[in-house]
PDB file of all heavy atoms in Angstrom:
ATOM      1  N   VAL A 246     -27.337 -10.073  72.911  1.00 96.00           N
ATOM      2  CA  VAL A 246     -26.526 -11.225  73.340  1.00 96.00           C
ATOM      3  C   VAL A 246     -27.415 -12.211  74.114  1.00 96.00           C
ATOM      4  O   VAL A 246     -27.402 -13.425  73.880  1.00 96.00           O
ATOM      5  CB  VAL A 246     -25.333 -10.766  74.223  1.00 96.00           C
ATOM      6  CG1 VAL A 246     -24.635 -11.968  74.848  1.00 96.00           C
ATOM      7  CG2 VAL A 246     -24.370  -9.934  73.402  1.00 96.00           C
ATOM      8  N   ALA A 247     -28.231 -11.674  75.021  1.00 97.00           N
ATOM      9  CA  ALA A 247     -29.106 -12.552  75.820  1.00 97.00           C
ATOM     10  C   ALA A 247     -30.085 -13.299  74.914  1.00 97.00           C
ATOM     11  O   ALA A 247     -30.321 -14.501  75.081  1.00 97.00           O
ATOM     12  CB  ALA A 247     -29.870 -11.739  76.865  1.00 97.00           C
ATOM     13  N   ARG A 248     -30.631 -12.577  73.960  1.00 97.00           N
ATOM     14  CA  ARG A 248     -31.631 -13.216  73.082  1.00 97.00           C
ATOM     15  C   ARG A 248     -31.008 -14.299  72.206  1.00 97.00           C
ATOM     16  O   ARG A 248     -31.693 -15.227  71.792  1.00 97.00           O
ATOM     17  CB  ARG A 248     -32.283 -12.158  72.176  1.00 97.00           C
ATOM     18  CG  ARG A 248     -33.248 -11.275  72.960  1.00 97.00           C
ATOM     19  CD  ARG A 248     -34.141 -10.469  72.021  1.00 97.00           C
ATOM     20  NE  ARG A 248     -34.953  -9.550  72.793  1.00 97.00           N
ATOM     21  CZ  ARG A 248     -34.838  -8.224  72.762  1.00 97.00           C
ATOM     22  NH1 ARG A 248     -33.939  -7.653  71.966  1.00 97.00           N
ATOM     23  NH2 ARG A 248     -35.603  -7.467  73.508  1.00 97.00           N
ATOM     24  N   ALA A 249     -29.712 -14.186  71.976  1.00 97.00           N
ATOM     25  CA  ALA A 249     -29.059 -15.189  71.120  1.00 97.00           C
ATOM     26  C   ALA A 249     -28.836 -16.508  71.864  1.00 97.00           C
ATOM     27  O   ALA A 249     -28.431 -17.505  71.255  1.00 97.00           O
ATOM     28  CB  ALA A 249     -27.744 -14.640  70.596  1.00 97.00           C
ATOM     29  N   GLY A 250     -29.062 -16.533  73.170  1.00 96.00           N
ATOM     30  CA  GLY A 250     -28.935 -17.779  73.946  1.00 96.00           C
ATOM     31  C   GLY A 250     -27.581 -18.417  73.751  1.00 96.00           C
ATOM     32  O   GLY A 250     -26.543 -17.773  73.906  1.00 96.00           O
ATOM     33  N   GLY A 251     -27.572 -19.676  73.366  1.00 96.00           N
ATOM     34  CA  GLY A 251     -26.319 -20.413  73.207  1.00 96.00           C
ATOM     35  C   GLY A 251     -25.688 -20.225  71.836  1.00 96.00           C
ATOM     36  O   GLY A 251     -24.755 -20.957  71.488  1.00 96.00           O
ATOM     37  N   GLY A 252     -26.198 -19.284  71.032  1.00 96.00           N
ATOM     38  CA  GLY A 252     -25.581 -18.996  69.738  1.00 96.00           C
ATOM     39  C   GLY A 252     -26.276 -19.699  68.581  1.00 96.00           C
ATOM     40  O   GLY A 252     -27.025 -20.666  68.766  1.00 96.00           O
ATOM     41  N   ARG A 255     -26.161 -23.600  67.955  1.00 97.00           N
ATOM     42  CA  ARG A 255     -27.038 -24.424  68.811  1.00 97.00           C
ATOM     43  C   ARG A 255     -28.525 -24.179  68.490  1.00 97.00           C
ATOM     44  O   ARG A 255     -29.343 -25.089  68.618  1.00 97.00           O
ATOM     45  CB  ARG A 255     -26.756 -24.159  70.285  1.00 97.00           C
ATOM     46  CG  ARG A 255     -25.351 -24.614  70.717  1.00 97.00           C
ATOM     47  CD  ARG A 255     -25.202 -24.578  72.218  1.00 97.00           C
ATOM     48  NE  ARG A 255     -23.886 -24.943  72.673  1.00 97.00           N
ATOM     49  CZ  ARG A 255     -22.879 -24.098  72.862  1.00 97.00           C
ATOM     50  NH1 ARG A 255     -23.042 -22.806  72.598  1.00 97.00           N
ATOM     51  NH2 ARG A 255     -21.715 -24.519  73.306  1.00 97.00           N
ATOM     52  N   ILE A 256     -28.829 -22.941  68.081  1.00 98.00           N
ATOM     53  CA  ILE A 256     -30.221 -22.665  67.674  1.00 98.00           C
ATOM     54  C   ILE A 256     -30.557 -23.499  66.428  1.00 98.00           C
ATOM     55  O   ILE A 256     -31.630 -24.120  66.340  1.00 98.00           O
ATOM     56  CB  ILE A 256     -30.439 -21.155  67.397  1.00 98.00           C
ATOM     57  CG1 ILE A 256     -30.320 -20.375  68.711  1.00 98.00           C
ATOM     58  CG2 ILE A 256     -31.784 -20.894  66.731  1.00 98.00           C
ATOM     59  CD1 ILE A 256     -30.380 -18.856  68.555  1.00 98.00           C
ATOM     60  N   GLN A 259     -31.170 -27.002  67.421  1.00 98.00           N
ATOM     61  CA  GLN A 259     -32.506 -27.112  68.039  1.00 98.00           C
ATOM     62  C   GLN A 259     -33.568 -27.218  66.937  1.00 98.00           C
ATOM     63  O   GLN A 259     -34.432 -28.097  66.958  1.00 98.00           O
ATOM     64  CB  GLN A 259     -32.753 -25.866  68.916  1.00 98.00           C
ATOM     65  CG  GLN A 259     -34.098 -25.797  69.598  1.00 98.00           C
ATOM     66  CD  GLN A 259     -34.143 -26.531  70.941  1.00 98.00           C
ATOM     67  OE1 GLN A 259     -33.262 -27.315  71.266  1.00 98.00           O
ATOM     68  NE2 GLN A 259     -35.192 -26.302  71.693  1.00 98.00           N
ATOM     69  N   ALA A 267     -36.557 -21.500  73.086  1.00 98.00           N
ATOM     70  CA  ALA A 267     -37.316 -21.069  74.271  1.00 98.00           C
ATOM     71  C   ALA A 267     -38.115 -19.803  73.989  1.00 98.00           C
ATOM     72  O   ALA A 267     -39.275 -19.676  74.378  1.00 98.00           O
ATOM     73  CB  ALA A 267     -36.351 -20.842  75.431  1.00 98.00           C
ATOM     74  N   ARG A 268     -37.475 -18.860  73.295  1.00 98.00           N
ATOM     75  CA  ARG A 268     -38.154 -17.585  73.030  1.00 98.00           C
ATOM     76  C   ARG A 268     -39.237 -17.721  71.962  1.00 98.00           C
ATOM     77  O   ARG A 268     -40.290 -17.087  72.048  1.00 98.00           O
ATOM     78  CB  ARG A 268     -37.132 -16.523  72.603  1.00 98.00           C
ATOM     79  CG  ARG A 268     -36.329 -16.026  73.752  1.00 98.00           C
ATOM     80  CD  ARG A 268     -35.231 -15.067  73.373  1.00 98.00           C
ATOM     81  NE  ARG A 268     -34.402 -14.874  74.548  1.00 98.00           N
ATOM     82  CZ  ARG A 268     -34.721 -14.057  75.551  1.00 98.00           C
ATOM     83  NH1 ARG A 268     -35.799 -13.312  75.475  1.00 98.00           N
ATOM     84  NH2 ARG A 268     -33.955 -13.963  76.614  1.00 98.00           N
ATOM     85  N   VAL A 287     -29.447 -12.230  84.340  1.00 97.00           N
ATOM     86  CA  VAL A 287     -28.967 -13.097  85.439  1.00 97.00           C
ATOM     87  C   VAL A 287     -27.968 -14.108  84.881  1.00 97.00           C
ATOM     88  O   VAL A 287     -28.205 -14.729  83.848  1.00 97.00           O
ATOM     89  CB  VAL A 287     -30.157 -13.835  86.105  1.00 97.00           C
ATOM     90  CG1 VAL A 287     -29.670 -15.056  86.879  1.00 97.00           C
ATOM     91  CG2 VAL A 287     -30.904 -12.893  87.034  1.00 97.00           C
ATOM     92  N   ALA A 288     -26.840 -14.229  85.585  1.00 96.00           N
ATOM     93  CA  ALA A 288     -25.822 -15.204  85.156  1.00 96.00           C
ATOM     94  C   ALA A 288     -25.473 -16.112  86.332  1.00 96.00           C
ATOM     95  O   ALA A 288     -25.636 -15.728  87.498  1.00 96.00           O
ATOM     96  CB  ALA A 288     -24.585 -14.474  84.667  1.00 96.00           C
ATOM     97  N   HIS A 289     -24.997 -17.303  86.032  1.00 95.00           N
ATOM     98  CA  HIS A 289     -24.666 -18.247  87.118  1.00 95.00           C
ATOM     99  C   HIS A 289     -23.442 -17.771  87.899  1.00 95.00           C
ATOM    100  O   HIS A 289     -22.694 -16.897  87.445  1.00 95.00           O
ATOM    101  CB  HIS A 289     -24.447 -19.644  86.529  1.00 95.00           C
ATOM    102  CG  HIS A 289     -23.192 -19.760  85.725  1.00 95.00           C
ATOM    103  ND1 HIS A 289     -21.949 -19.820  86.304  1.00 95.00           N
ATOM    104  CD2 HIS A 289     -22.991 -19.798  84.390  1.00 95.00           C
ATOM    105  CE1 HIS A 289     -21.027 -19.906  85.358  1.00 95.00           C
ATOM    106  NE2 HIS A 289     -21.640 -19.889  84.178  1.00 95.00           N
ATOM    107  N   MET A 296     -16.120 -22.680  84.610  1.00 92.00           N
ATOM    108  CA  MET A 296     -17.432 -22.077  84.290  1.00 92.00           C
ATOM    109  C   MET A 296     -17.403 -20.553  84.361  1.00 92.00           C
ATOM    110  O   MET A 296     -18.229 -19.879  83.744  1.00 92.00           O
ATOM    111  CB  MET A 296     -18.514 -22.622  85.234  1.00 92.00           C
ATOM    112  CG  MET A 296     -18.932 -24.040  84.953  1.00 92.00           C
ATOM    113  SD  MET A 296     -19.847 -24.188  83.408  1.00 92.00           S
ATOM    114  CE  MET A 296     -21.497 -23.744  83.936  1.00 92.00           C
ATOM    115  N   ASP A 299     -17.582 -18.722  81.167  1.00 91.00           N
ATOM    116  CA  ASP A 299     -18.753 -18.874  80.292  1.00 91.00           C
ATOM    117  C   ASP A 299     -20.020 -18.561  81.090  1.00 91.00           C
ATOM    118  O   ASP A 299     -20.580 -19.421  81.758  1.00 91.00           O
ATOM    119  CB  ASP A 299     -18.776 -20.334  79.790  1.00 91.00           C
ATOM    120  CG  ASP A 299     -19.793 -20.518  78.672  1.00 91.00           C
ATOM    121  OD1 ASP A 299     -20.394 -19.513  78.244  1.00 91.00           O
ATOM    122  OD2 ASP A 299     -19.992 -21.667  78.248  1.00 91.00           O
ATOM    123  N   ARG A 300     -20.405 -17.288  81.043  1.00 94.00           N
ATOM    124  CA  ARG A 300     -21.553 -16.880  81.865  1.00 94.00           C
ATOM    125  C   ARG A 300     -22.608 -16.219  80.976  1.00 94.00           C
ATOM    126  O   ARG A 300     -22.805 -15.004  80.999  1.00 94.00           O
ATOM    127  CB  ARG A 300     -21.103 -15.950  82.982  1.00 94.00           C
ATOM    128  CG  ARG A 300     -20.074 -16.610  83.899  1.00 94.00           C
ATOM    129  CD  ARG A 300     -19.598 -15.671  84.987  1.00 94.00           C
ATOM    130  NE  ARG A 300     -20.625 -15.382  85.959  1.00 94.00           N
ATOM    131  CZ  ARG A 300     -21.046 -14.165  86.291  1.00 94.00           C
ATOM    132  NH1 ARG A 300     -20.536 -13.117  85.695  1.00 94.00           N
ATOM    133  NH2 ARG A 300     -21.981 -14.002  87.204  1.00 94.00           N
ATOM    134  N   PRO A 301     -23.325 -17.030  80.181  1.00 95.00           N
ATOM    135  CA  PRO A 301     -24.310 -16.440  79.260  1.00 95.00           C
ATOM    136  C   PRO A 301     -25.453 -15.769  80.019  1.00 95.00           C
ATOM    137  O   PRO A 301     -25.959 -16.335  80.992  1.00 95.00           O
ATOM    138  CB  PRO A 301     -24.827 -17.649  78.462  1.00 95.00           C
ATOM    139  CG  PRO A 301     -24.458 -18.841  79.260  1.00 95.00           C
ATOM    140  CD  PRO A 301     -23.285 -18.495  80.105  1.00 95.00           C
ATOM    141  N   PRO A 302     -25.843 -14.554  79.599  1.00 95.00           N
ATOM    142  CA  PRO A 302     -26.945 -13.879  80.290  1.00 95.00           C
ATOM    143  C   PRO A 302     -28.248 -14.661  80.156  1.00 95.00           C
ATOM    144  O   PRO A 302     -28.563 -15.159  79.075  1.00 95.00           O
ATOM    145  CB  PRO A 302     -27.036 -12.524  79.575  1.00 95.00           C
ATOM    146  CG  PRO A 302     -26.291 -12.691  78.300  1.00 95.00           C
ATOM    147  CD  PRO A 302     -25.297 -13.789  78.486  1.00 95.00           C
ATOM    148  N   GLY A 303     -28.952 -14.764  81.265  1.00 96.00           N
ATOM    149  CA  GLY A 303     -30.228 -15.486  81.263  1.00 96.00           C
ATOM    150  C   GLY A 303     -30.098 -16.877  81.866  1.00 96.00           C
ATOM    151  O   GLY A 303     -31.049 -17.429  82.388  1.00 96.00           O
ATOM    152  N   ASP A 304     -28.915 -17.470  81.770  1.00 97.00           N
ATOM    153  CA  ASP A 304     -28.592 -18.746  82.408  1.00 97.00           C
ATOM    154  C   ASP A 304     -29.532 -19.898  82.054  1.00 97.00           C
ATOM    155  O   ASP A 304     -29.875 -20.728  82.891  1.00 97.00           O
ATOM    156  CB  ASP A 304     -28.520 -18.576  83.931  1.00 97.00           C
ATOM    157  CG  ASP A 304     -27.688 -19.698  84.562  1.00 97.00           C
ATOM    158  OD1 ASP A 304     -26.821 -20.261  83.859  1.00 97.00           O
ATOM    159  OD2 ASP A 304     -27.935 -20.022  85.741  1.00 97.00           O
ATOM    160  N   GLY A 305     -29.965 -19.938  80.807  1.00 97.00           N
ATOM    161  CA  GLY A 305     -30.643 -21.151  80.338  1.00 97.00           C
ATOM    162  C   GLY A 305     -32.137 -21.221  80.609  1.00 97.00           C
ATOM    163  O   GLY A 305     -32.747 -22.278  80.441  1.00 97.00           O
ATOM    164  N   VAL A 306     -32.724 -20.099  81.015  1.00 98.00           N
ATOM    165  CA  VAL A 306     -34.190 -20.105  81.153  1.00 98.00           C
ATOM    166  C   VAL A 306     -34.710 -18.685  80.914  1.00 98.00           C
ATOM    167  O   VAL A 306     -34.106 -17.717  81.377  1.00 98.00           O
ATOM    168  CB  VAL A 306     -34.637 -20.671  82.532  1.00 98.00           C
ATOM    169  CG1 VAL A 306     -34.168 -19.818  83.699  1.00 98.00           C
ATOM    170  CG2 VAL A 306     -36.155 -20.869  82.579  1.00 98.00           C
ATOM    171  N   VAL A 307     -35.780 -18.591  80.156  1.00 98.00           N
ATOM    172  CA  VAL A 307     -36.404 -17.294  79.885  1.00 98.00           C
ATOM    173  C   VAL A 307     -37.650 -17.218  80.760  1.00 98.00           C
ATOM    174  O   VAL A 307     -38.493 -18.128  80.724  1.00 98.00           O
ATOM    175  CB  VAL A 307     -36.795 -17.177  78.390  1.00 98.00           C
ATOM    176  CG1 VAL A 307     -37.377 -15.798  78.093  1.00 98.00           C
ATOM    177  CG2 VAL A 307     -35.597 -17.470  77.490  1.00 98.00           C
ATOM    178  N   SER A 322     -39.438 -20.735  80.353  1.00 98.00           N
ATOM    179  CA  SER A 322     -39.172 -21.562  79.187  1.00 98.00           C
ATOM    180  C   SER A 322     -37.678 -21.885  79.176  1.00 98.00           C
ATOM    181  O   SER A 322     -36.843 -20.981  79.056  1.00 98.00           O
ATOM    182  CB  SER A 322     -39.580 -20.776  77.928  1.00 98.00           C
ATOM    183  OG  SER A 322     -39.331 -21.522  76.776  1.00 98.00           O
ATOM    184  N   GLN A 323     -37.360 -23.158  79.370  1.00 98.00           N
ATOM    185  CA  GLN A 323     -35.944 -23.528  79.467  1.00 98.00           C
ATOM    186  C   GLN A 323     -35.294 -23.497  78.087  1.00 98.00           C
ATOM    187  O   GLN A 323     -35.877 -23.947  77.100  1.00 98.00           O
ATOM    188  CB  GLN A 323     -35.821 -24.912  80.109  1.00 98.00           C
ATOM    189  CG  GLN A 323     -36.235 -24.861  81.584  1.00 98.00           C
ATOM    190  CD  GLN A 323     -36.136 -26.198  82.267  1.00 98.00           C
ATOM    191  OE1 GLN A 323     -36.609 -27.195  81.728  1.00 98.00           O
ATOM    192  NE2 GLN A 323     -35.553 -26.219  83.451  1.00 98.00           N
ATOM    193  N   ASP A 324     -34.080 -22.962  78.062  1.00 98.00           N
ATOM    194  CA  ASP A 324     -33.368 -22.745  76.793  1.00 98.00           C
ATOM    195  C   ASP A 324     -32.317 -23.833  76.618  1.00 98.00           C
ATOM    196  O   ASP A 324     -31.229 -23.770  77.206  1.00 98.00           O
ATOM    197  CB  ASP A 324     -32.722 -21.354  76.838  1.00 98.00           C
ATOM    198  CG  ASP A 324     -32.051 -21.004  75.523  1.00 98.00           C
ATOM    199  OD1 ASP A 324     -31.924 -21.902  74.657  1.00 98.00           O
ATOM    200  OD2 ASP A 324     -31.653 -19.839  75.374  1.00 98.00           O
ATOM    201  N   PHE A 325     -32.637 -24.810  75.797  1.00 97.00           N
ATOM    202  CA  PHE A 325     -31.722 -25.954  75.631  1.00 97.00           C
ATOM    203  C   PHE A 325     -30.402 -25.541  74.997  1.00 97.00           C
ATOM    204  O   PHE A 325     -29.400 -26.242  75.124  1.00 97.00           O
ATOM    205  CB  PHE A 325     -32.395 -27.058  74.794  1.00 97.00           C
ATOM    206  CG  PHE A 325     -31.652 -28.359  74.823  1.00 97.00           C
ATOM    207  CD1 PHE A 325     -31.773 -29.228  75.900  1.00 97.00           C
ATOM    208  CD2 PHE A 325     -30.791 -28.710  73.792  1.00 97.00           C
ATOM    209  CE1 PHE A 325     -31.056 -30.420  75.952  1.00 97.00           C
ATOM    210  CE2 PHE A 325     -30.072 -29.903  73.824  1.00 97.00           C
ATOM    211  CZ  PHE A 325     -30.205 -30.760  74.911  1.00 97.00           C
ATOM    212  N   THR A 326     -30.381 -24.358  74.365  1.00 98.00           N
ATOM    213  CA  THR A 326     -29.130 -23.938  73.716  1.00 98.00           C
ATOM    214  C   THR A 326     -28.103 -23.420  74.725  1.00 98.00           C
ATOM    215  O   THR A 326     -26.957 -23.173  74.369  1.00 98.00           O
ATOM    216  CB  THR A 326     -29.382 -22.845  72.634  1.00 98.00           C
ATOM    217  OG1 THR A 326     -29.761 -21.618  73.279  1.00 98.00           O
ATOM    218  CG2 THR A 326     -30.455 -23.267  71.650  1.00 98.00           C
ATOM    219  N   VAL A 327     -28.516 -23.217  75.968  1.00 97.00           N
ATOM    220  CA  VAL A 327     -27.574 -22.749  76.993  1.00 97.00           C
ATOM    221  C   VAL A 327     -27.359 -23.873  78.003  1.00 97.00           C
ATOM    222  O   VAL A 327     -28.282 -24.217  78.764  1.00 97.00           O
ATOM    223  CB  VAL A 327     -28.119 -21.483  77.702  1.00 97.00           C
ATOM    224  CG1 VAL A 327     -27.182 -21.066  78.827  1.00 97.00           C
ATOM    225  CG2 VAL A 327     -28.311 -20.361  76.708  1.00 97.00           C
ATOM    226  N   PHE A 328     -26.192 -24.485  77.981  1.00 96.00           N
ATOM    227  CA  PHE A 328     -25.886 -25.623  78.872  1.00 96.00           C
ATOM    228  C   PHE A 328     -27.009 -26.664  78.856  1.00 96.00           C
ATOM    229  O   PHE A 328     -27.390 -27.207  79.896  1.00 96.00           O
ATOM    230  CB  PHE A 328     -25.658 -25.163  80.316  1.00 96.00           C
ATOM    231  CG  PHE A 328     -24.564 -24.137  80.473  1.00 96.00           C
ATOM    232  CD1 PHE A 328     -24.805 -22.933  81.124  1.00 96.00           C
ATOM    233  CD2 PHE A 328     -23.289 -24.364  79.971  1.00 96.00           C
ATOM    234  CE1 PHE A 328     -23.808 -21.981  81.277  1.00 96.00           C
ATOM    235  CE2 PHE A 328     -22.271 -23.414  80.118  1.00 96.00           C
ATOM    236  CZ  PHE A 328     -22.540 -22.217  80.775  1.00 96.00           C
ATOM    237  N   GLY A 329     -27.551 -26.903  77.726  1.00 96.00           N
ATOM    238  CA  GLY A 329     -28.607 -27.922  77.593  1.00 96.00           C
ATOM    239  C   GLY A 329     -29.831 -27.620  78.462  1.00 96.00           C
ATOM    240  O   GLY A 329     -30.556 -28.535  78.873  1.00 96.00           O
ATOM    241  N   GLY A 330     -30.078 -26.325  78.728  1.00 96.00           N
ATOM    242  CA  GLY A 330     -31.236 -25.965  79.559  1.00 96.00           C
ATOM    243  C   GLY A 330     -31.118 -26.474  80.986  1.00 96.00           C
ATOM    244  O   GLY A 330     -32.106 -26.510  81.729  1.00 96.00           O
ATOM    245  N   SER A 331     -29.888 -26.876  81.362  1.00 96.00           N
ATOM    246  CA  SER A 331     -29.726 -27.488  82.695  1.00 96.00           C
ATOM    247  C   SER A 331     -29.975 -26.457  83.794  1.00 96.00           C
ATOM    248  O   SER A 331     -29.793 -25.253  83.601  1.00 96.00           O
ATOM    249  CB  SER A 331     -28.345 -28.119  82.837  1.00 96.00           C
ATOM    250  OG  SER A 331     -27.351 -27.138  82.612  1.00 96.00           O
ATOM    251  N   LEU A 332     -30.390 -26.977  84.938  1.00 96.00           N
ATOM    252  CA  LEU A 332     -30.854 -26.112  86.022  1.00 96.00           C
ATOM    253  C   LEU A 332     -29.726 -25.837  87.015  1.00 96.00           C
ATOM    254  O   LEU A 332     -29.221 -26.753  87.661  1.00 96.00           O
ATOM    255  CB  LEU A 332     -32.044 -26.762  86.723  1.00 96.00           C
ATOM    256  CG  LEU A 332     -32.723 -25.921  87.798  1.00 96.00           C
ATOM    257  CD1 LEU A 332     -34.242 -26.013  87.685  1.00 96.00           C
ATOM    258  CD2 LEU A 332     -32.284 -26.366  89.188  1.00 96.00           C
ATOM    259  N   SER A 333     -29.351 -24.576  87.100  1.00 96.00           N
ATOM    260  CA  SER A 333     -28.340 -24.138  88.072  1.00 96.00           C
ATOM    261  C   SER A 333     -29.060 -23.478  89.243  1.00 96.00           C
ATOM    262  O   SER A 333     -30.285 -23.295  89.199  1.00 96.00           O
ATOM    263  CB  SER A 333     -27.420 -23.118  87.417  1.00 96.00           C
ATOM    264  OG  SER A 333     -28.189 -21.948  87.162  1.00 96.00           O
ATOM    265  N   HIS A 336     -30.633 -20.317  87.753  1.00 98.00           N
ATOM    266  CA  HIS A 336     -31.730 -20.717  86.857  1.00 98.00           C
ATOM    267  C   HIS A 336     -32.968 -21.023  87.725  1.00 98.00           C
ATOM    268  O   HIS A 336     -34.085 -20.559  87.441  1.00 98.00           O
ATOM    269  CB  HIS A 336     -31.235 -21.947  86.082  1.00 98.00           C
ATOM    270  CG  HIS A 336     -32.182 -22.621  85.154  1.00 98.00           C
ATOM    271  ND1 HIS A 336     -31.881 -22.904  83.841  1.00 98.00           N
ATOM    272  CD2 HIS A 336     -33.426 -23.134  85.332  1.00 98.00           C
ATOM    273  CE1 HIS A 336     -32.880 -23.553  83.267  1.00 98.00           C
ATOM    274  NE2 HIS A 336     -33.837 -23.697  84.155  1.00 98.00           N
ATOM    275  N   ASP A 359     -37.373 -28.145  78.850  1.00 97.00           N
ATOM    276  CA  ASP A 359     -36.491 -28.660  77.791  1.00 97.00           C
ATOM    277  C   ASP A 359     -35.086 -28.614  78.380  1.00 97.00           C
ATOM    278  O   ASP A 359     -34.356 -27.645  78.198  1.00 97.00           O
ATOM    279  CB  ASP A 359     -36.609 -27.742  76.553  1.00 97.00           C
ATOM    280  CG  ASP A 359     -35.865 -28.298  75.349  1.00 97.00           C
ATOM    281  OD1 ASP A 359     -35.211 -29.346  75.474  1.00 97.00           O
ATOM    282  OD2 ASP A 359     -35.928 -27.661  74.274  1.00 97.00           O
ATOM    283  N   SER A 360     -34.711 -29.648  79.130  1.00 95.00           N
ATOM    284  CA  SER A 360     -33.534 -29.515  79.976  1.00 95.00           C
ATOM    285  C   SER A 360     -32.803 -30.825  80.203  1.00 95.00           C
ATOM    286  O   SER A 360     -33.423 -31.882  80.355  1.00 95.00           O
ATOM    287  CB  SER A 360     -33.995 -28.954  81.331  1.00 95.00           C
ATOM    288  OG  SER A 360     -32.990 -29.070  82.299  1.00 95.00           O
ATOM    289  N   GLY A 361     -31.485 -30.728  80.270  1.00 93.00           N
ATOM    290  CA  GLY A 361     -30.647 -31.889  80.596  1.00 93.00           C
ATOM    291  C   GLY A 361     -30.607 -32.189  82.083  1.00 93.00           C
ATOM    292  O   GLY A 361     -29.812 -33.016  82.518  1.00 93.00           O
ATOM    293  N   GLY A 362     -31.424 -31.514  82.874  1.00 94.00           N
ATOM    294  CA  GLY A 362     -31.511 -31.811  84.308  1.00 94.00           C
ATOM    295  C   GLY A 362     -30.595 -30.924  85.126  1.00 94.00           C
ATOM    296  O   GLY A 362     -30.298 -29.790  84.744  1.00 94.00           O
ATOM    297  N   ARG A 364     -27.613 -28.973  86.636  1.00 95.00           N
ATOM    298  CA  ARG A 364     -26.356 -28.483  86.033  1.00 95.00           C
ATOM    299  C   ARG A 364     -25.205 -29.248  86.669  1.00 95.00           C
ATOM    300  O   ARG A 364     -24.908 -29.081  87.860  1.00 95.00           O
ATOM    301  CB  ARG A 364     -26.235 -26.967  86.274  1.00 95.00           C
ATOM    302  CG  ARG A 364     -24.961 -26.302  85.780  1.00 95.00           C
ATOM    303  CD  ARG A 364     -25.032 -25.817  84.341  1.00 95.00           C
ATOM    304  NE  ARG A 364     -26.225 -25.111  83.947  1.00 95.00           N
ATOM    305  CZ  ARG A 364     -26.418 -23.785  84.033  1.00 95.00           C
ATOM    306  NH1 ARG A 364     -25.472 -22.998  84.515  1.00 95.00           N
ATOM    307  NH2 ARG A 364     -27.536 -23.239  83.603  1.00 95.00           N
ATOM    308  N   GLN A 366     -22.057 -29.208  86.598  1.00 93.00           N
ATOM    309  CA  GLN A 366     -20.926 -28.486  87.188  1.00 93.00           C
ATOM    310  C   GLN A 366     -21.256 -27.915  88.568  1.00 93.00           C
ATOM    311  O   GLN A 366     -20.358 -27.574  89.334  1.00 93.00           O
ATOM    312  CB  GLN A 366     -20.508 -27.320  86.273  1.00 93.00           C
ATOM    313  CG  GLN A 366     -20.003 -27.735  84.904  1.00 93.00           C
ATOM    314  CD  GLN A 366     -21.125 -27.827  83.867  1.00 93.00           C
ATOM    315  OE1 GLN A 366     -22.280 -28.046  84.216  1.00 93.00           O
ATOM    316  NE2 GLN A 366     -20.778 -27.689  82.599  1.00 93.00           N
TER     317      GLN A 366
END
Side-chain angles (χ1 to χ4, degrees):
V246 171
R248 287 194 185 113
R255 294 191 182 90
I256 292 174
Q259 178 86 346
R268 285 175 190 280
V287 160
H289 70 75
M296 286 291 277
D299 191 5
R300 301 178 69 236
D304 202 25
V306 64
V307 183
S322 179
Q323 291 180 312
D324 184 350
F325 192 80
T326 70
V327 176
F328 303 127
S331 58
L332 185 137
S333 67
H336 176 128
D359 187 357
S360 167
R364 177 89 45 90
Q366 297 90 334

